[in-house]
Each structure stands twice: as C-alpha cells, then as structure tokens.
Amino acid sequence: METLGIHHLGVAVADLDEAIETYRRLFGAELEHRDVVPDQGVEAASLRAGGSRVELLAPTADDSPVGKFLARRGPGMHHVAYEVADIRAALAELAAAGAELTDAEPRQGLFGLQVAFVHPDSVHGVLTEVVSRV
Ligand code: CO
C-alpha cells in the first residue's frame, strides 16, 4: 500500500477542552474541527500543529471504544492514521499482504473522511487507520 504520509496521530483524552488547551499552550496548535459523533461515542477535535495534525478523542460513553481504551490504558496515544489516495485499493492491498482489517469496507469517519482500521496485531501493537479525503 502506498501512503501519502501520516494524516494524523490519534490521542485518547479524558477532557477534550483541557486537552485542546494543552496542545494550544505547549505546541501552538490550532483547532481545525470539533465534532460529537454520538454513534461512535466520541467527541473529537482535529488540531493543526505546523504541517501536522493531531486528533484528540474524548469518550461520550464509558462503553464506547475510546471509553474502554481510556479505562484500560489511561490517556495517551491511540492510533496512527495514514492518508491514501484510494482507500478501497489500499484495503485490498493490505488484505492481500495479510493485514487483519478491523473494517473490511471504508466507513464514514470524523470530519468527512473515509476511514478504515487495521488491527494492532498486524502492525506491532499500533492501531492503524487509513484515511482518504473523498
Ligand atoms: Co483518526
């Protein structure tokens, strides 16, 4: 699979407002988008830091994926997202290469992106997301 680069790093946080303020204060990051996604049990903020992007994820329910992650591991790095030009082609190539896909098909992600996740067992423990803008 060919990537255009890292689209964002996903970070699980307990308090979204506090985390946004931390990234602003420490790294001069600027808020790009902020959204609540009820069916994913998450409130998310996309921040630009120079030419890079950080996605902060706060759970809106304890039994959501991010809520469970926080309960199990505490706040911290959650996933790495790679941007691709064609997400369906990327998923086909990943599957052919033996990667375990959490999402066999692209789905609507945050902020209008098409996304799919690759299981961390296939990427040395790192939950990995592929993202396309279309
Ligand atoms: Co993400």
Side-chain angles (χ1 to χ4, degrees):
M1 183 204 90
E2 191 174 332
T3 177
L4 303 172
I6 290 179
H7 183 272
H8 62 267
L9 301 177
V11 177
V13 304
D15 183 319
L16 191 60
D17 290 318
E18 189 183 321
I20 291 169
E21 181 52 29
T22 298
Y23 278 80
R24 276 192 176 131
R25 187 166 51 84
L26 297 184
F27 309 120
E30 293 180 11
L31 184 64
E32 182 180 39
H33 302 289
R34 180 172 180 157
D35 222 348
V36 180
V37 188
D39 63 333
Q40 294 177 31
V42 72
E43 183 172 13
S46 176
L47 301 174
R48 295 304 303 243
S52 299
R53 185 181 288 107
V54 176
E55 180 180 274
L56 302 176
L57 304 164
T60 56
D62 290 342
D63 62 351
S64 65
V66 175
K68 289 178 189 166
F69 177 94
L70 269 183
R72 198 168 59 242
R73 316 223 345 219
M77 275 296 305
H78 184 265
H79 65 270
V80 176
Y82 294 94
E83 184 172 359
V84 297
D86 181 336
I87 193 167
R88 287 183 183 281
L91 291 177
E93 290 173 32
L94 286 165
E100 183 186 338
L101 303 179
T102 304
D103 301 297
E105 294 284 321
R107 58 186 172 85
Q108 188 68 43
L110 299 167
F111 317 124
L113 300 166
Q114 289 289 305
V115 308
F117 281 90
V118 181
H119 197 279
D121 285 353
S122 293
V123 200
H124 301 270
V126 178
L127 178 61
T128 298
E129 182 180 20
V130 289
V131 167
S132 73
R133 292 170 195 258
V134 184

